[in-house]
Amino acid sequence: MIAFCGTKSYIFLARAAFLLGGYLCFSTLTLLSSSGPPEPMAELPTRVLIVVGAPGEVEFGTNFTRQATLWQKACQQAQCSATTIGLTDSAPTNDYELLKQTLDAEPKESAAALWLVLIGHGTFDGKEARFNLRGPDVSAADLAAWLRPFHRPMAVIDSSSSSAPFLNKLSGTNRVIITATRSGNEQNFARFGQYFAEAICDAQADLDKDGEVSLLEAFLMSARRVAEFYKIEVRLATEHALLDDNGDGLGTQADWFQGLRAVKKPQEHAAADGLLAQQFHLGVRDTGAKLSGEQRRQRDVLERSVLLHREKKNQMAEDQYYRELEKLLLELGRFYDSNPINPATAPLEPDKEHAHQH
């Protein structure tokens, strides 16, 4: 039988349930004790660049400013560093040059994640997509060249219309790329950015109840709200957001996910998207586990191993699959048993019906 006891065990059970698609299915799992938690390491703060584009009409300018304000507030709550471009006078240069200079000044090698948030309008001429700035617009090719020297975790959230070609250009290893559209031809004003700015610190978007909203969770919540908007307004949807985090440049739509798992792929043998985005968080807040930066990275490696193993279920003999799954879950269980958790802010005990024997 499965032996669980204590707050840390319930936290492990809750996260494991979501990793396995809403239920546990293995024969025996006992959380093992250890000699104590490792020495805590300094947390590496996420670095966020918020770029507000040319508004055009006043109505859009108000909306873009509100989005930027929500991002600034979220960054402040998450205690991460944020720089905003596009809301103040950029003289003696323009926003194109200012963005380039800001990226040039960023460390290219770092374990700290860099997030680039593009808020505004986009265009597509059939060959090249551009994000509209005050002054010269930045193209997908421009941004790809500027980001090429970076070898650090990176997320790009392009909430503009016609943004899909940015995904194709920017996709790469250890990157999460999110666009408001699935095609450069979706050129109408995109509402995705507003919903994303609201979701990034909305507890309702926290699907796995770990006290943090991941990029994947914010993406899914935002896309759902976009779909609801068009349904309520009885209008044909003119935007379909994409997420790519496996480096293949194909992207996955939100309605291809079941919970936190992609159940449909853009190509038959394509790798699943969402695994990396599930581990990108804006920052560590006081609503979840008290883990250092190194401990969080250890947890992410262990959880990613479970997620990748789950993708092999239909390719392995059933007994072998569950034997290897049990080993991975035991490792994850040991991690939770040996690392500090704040019981007062831990996730709720999972529904007991989600824990059962195979």
Side-chain angles (χ1 to χ4, degrees), residues 150-206:
F150 285 85
H151 300 281
R152 60 190 287 192
M154 183 174 295
V156 179
I157 301 101
D158 186 347
S159 61
S160 66
S161 53
S162 302
S163 52
F166 277 80
L167 182 146
N168 308 127
K169 293 280 189 179
L170 304 181
S171 176
T173 302
N174 211 17
R175 289 184 180 182
V176 179
I177 312 297
I178 294 173
T179 60
T181 72
R182 65 184 178 191
S183 165
N185 294 318
E186 291 188 324
Q187 299 180 348
N188 292 345
F189 171 69
R191 290 166 173 80
F192 177 79
Q194 176 65 40
Y195 293 123
F196 201 101
E198 295 169 352
I200 197 63
C201 57
D202 184 353
Q204 293 184 26
D206 181 13

Side-chain angles (χ1 to χ4, degrees), residues 1-4 13 24-30 355-358:
M1 64 181 292
I2 304 173
F4 292 103
L13 179 58
L24 296 180
C25 193
F26 51 97
S27 57
T28 305
L29 183 59
T30 304
H356 60 80
Q357 295 176 319
H358 168 61

Side-chain angles (χ1 to χ4, degrees), residues 71-261:
W71 272 103
Q72 291 167 342
K73 180 180 178 181
C75 290
Q76 185 177 18
Q77 291 177 346
Q79 299 181 359
C80 60
S81 172
T83 295
T84 303
I85 296 172
L87 291 183
T88 58
D89 187 4
S90 59
T93 183
N94 55 56
D95 289 350
Y96 178 93
E97 291 297 331
L98 185 57
L99 174 57
K100 184 177 186 299
Q101 292 170 11
T102 304
L103 288 171
D104 284 343
E106 284 292 319
K108 306 303 184 290
E109 304 279 349
S110 175
L114 173 66
W115 290 26
L116 178 60
V117 182
L118 304 180
I119 301 170
H121 299 297
T123 58
F124 180 63
D125 62 6
K127 295 182 179 180
E128 186 74 77
R130 288 178 168 80
F131 177 74
N132 300 159
L133 294 170
R134 298 180 304 181
D137 297 336
V138 60
S139 70
D142 290 333
L143 195 54
W146 296 349
L147 297 182
R148 193 167 295 123
F150 285 85
H151 300 281
R152 60 190 287 192
M154 183 174 295
V156 179
I157 301 101
D158 186 347
S159 61
S160 66
S161 53
S162 302
S163 52
F166 277 80
L167 182 146
N168 308 127
K169 293 280 189 179
L170 304 181
S171 176
T173 302
N174 211 17
R175 289 184 180 182
V176 179
I177 312 297
I178 294 173
T179 60
T181 72
R182 65 184 178 191
S183 165
N185 294 318
E186 291 188 324
Q187 299 180 348
N188 292 345
F189 171 69
R191 290 166 173 80
F192 177 79
Q194 176 65 40
Y195 293 123
F196 201 101
E198 295 169 352
I200 197 63
C201 57
D202 184 353
Q204 293 184 26
D206 181 13
L207 297 179
D208 61 8
K209 303 306 177 186
D210 66 347
E212 298 171 320
V213 177
S214 69
L215 271 182
L216 175 61
E217 290 169 327
F219 166 76
L220 294 173
M221 172 65 79
S222 308
R224 188 186 78 185
R225 288 178 174 171
V226 167
E228 289 174 350
F229 168 83
Y230 285 99
K231 182 177 180 180
I232 291 172
E233 294 292 318
V234 194
R235 295 166 57 179
L236 181 66
T238 57
E239 55 184 295
H240 302 82
L242 289 180
L243 180 148
D244 178 275
D245 66 358
N246 61 19
D248 64 8
L250 298 175
T252 300
Q253 295 183 188
D255 57 3
W256 292 358
F257 283 85
Q258 181 177 315
L260 297 177
R261 182 187 181 188

Side-chain angles (χ1 to χ4, degrees), residues 35 57 345 347:
S35 58
E57 299 177 13
T345 57

